[in-house]
Amino acid sequence: KDRDMQADALKILLGAGGEQLLYQVLKQKDENARRLIGALGDIEDKKTKTILQNVLLDKQYSLDWRLEALQAMGKDWTGEDMLLALQKNKKLPADLQDSAGAILMNSNRDEMRRNALQYFKITASAKLNTIEPIEKLVTLKGDAVSGKAVFTTYCTSCHRVNNSGVN
């Protein structure tokens, strides 16, 4: 219910021309900005996805922030279509391409998954959506940046860690 109220409030604000207020919040790069990214991702609307796109394209934001914007953008068809268009037009930053490809490979639209295969470098394991056995995974050295990208791409739709994701 709170999420619905948030979404309604954001829609009213955007309808009244309040985009600049949202950008001011996002520039603070604090917990309110993180919550705003998540709330924008919950609304299937071109304006909200454009705001998220601007965050993910802005290198003034850390990779962590841009990955959150990418994940939020990829939650619905409007965002998926915009991510694919960025890749087709060679405007998607290289450091976000693997995560964007994974998001689109998990789309519920067959056509989007086919397009992801065409426009992204998708590994065989990503195509099959499989991971190594746990016995092998525990022997590997971790990479926090890559791990966060994986968590943001695959886990935040159901899990929450450090105020990223949902419960």
Side-chain angles (χ1 to χ4, degrees):
K1 209 165 201 174
D2 286 343
R3 290 177 89 145
D4 291 339
M5 195 179 315
Q6 262 184 338
D8 290 342
L10 282 171
K11 288 176 190 174
I12 291 168
L13 182 61
L14 287 167
E19 284 108 298
Q20 289 310 312
L21 292 173
L22 298 179
Y23 283 112
Q24 288 174 8
V25 171
L26 290 169
K27 285 180 183 175
Q28 297 303 310
K29 300 177 188 168
D30 60 8
E31 205 46 50
N32 290 327
R34 281 194 193 276
R35 282 194 292 275
L36 179 56
I37 286 173
L40 290 169
D42 290 338
I43 302 170
E44 183 157 5
D45 174 87
K46 184 125 172 116
K47 279 186 182 179
T48 62
K49 301 309 175 193
T50 298
I51 293 169
L52 291 169
Q53 177 178 293
N54 289 337
V55 171
L56 72 89
L57 292 175
D58 187 345
K59 296 277 185 155
Q60 291 183 22
Y61 289 94
S62 69
L63 178 60
D64 179 46
W65 282 85
R66 293 184 305 114
L67 284 167
E68 282 199 42
L70 175 73
Q71 179 68 29
M73 191 171 168
K75 286 183 177 180
D76 56 49
W77 289 11
T78 301
E80 287 178 353
D81 290 341
M82 290 174 71
L83 288 174
L84 182 63
L86 284 172
Q87 182 68 0
K88 280 182 177 180
N89 295 319
K90 299 181 183 345
K91 293 184 178 177
L92 189 65
D95 58 353
L96 298 176
Q97 289 179 6
D98 289 345
S99 294
I103 288 169
L104 298 183
M105 281 301 295
N106 285 303
S107 173
N108 62 356
R109 297 185 285 169
D110 291 337
E111 182 66 21
M112 183 56 66
R113 290 191 304 275
R114 281 192 292 278
N115 282 325
L117 284 171
Q118 181 179 352
Y119 289 99
F120 291 87
K121 294 176 186 167
I122 306 293
T123 64
S125 63
K127 289 178 194 172
L128 298 173
N129 202 15
T130 61
I131 61 171
E132 297 288 338
I134 192 71
E135 296 80 17
K136 180 171 182 186
L137 291 176
V138 297
T139 65
L140 300 174
K141 182 179 178 193
D143 177 340
V145 173
S146 295
K148 181 144 184 119
V150 170
F151 179 81
T152 300
T153 301
Y154 294 105
C155 307
T156 56
S157 61
C158 301
H159 303 283
R160 183 176 187 88
V161 172
N162 296 330
N163 295 317
S164 180
V166 296
N167 278 338

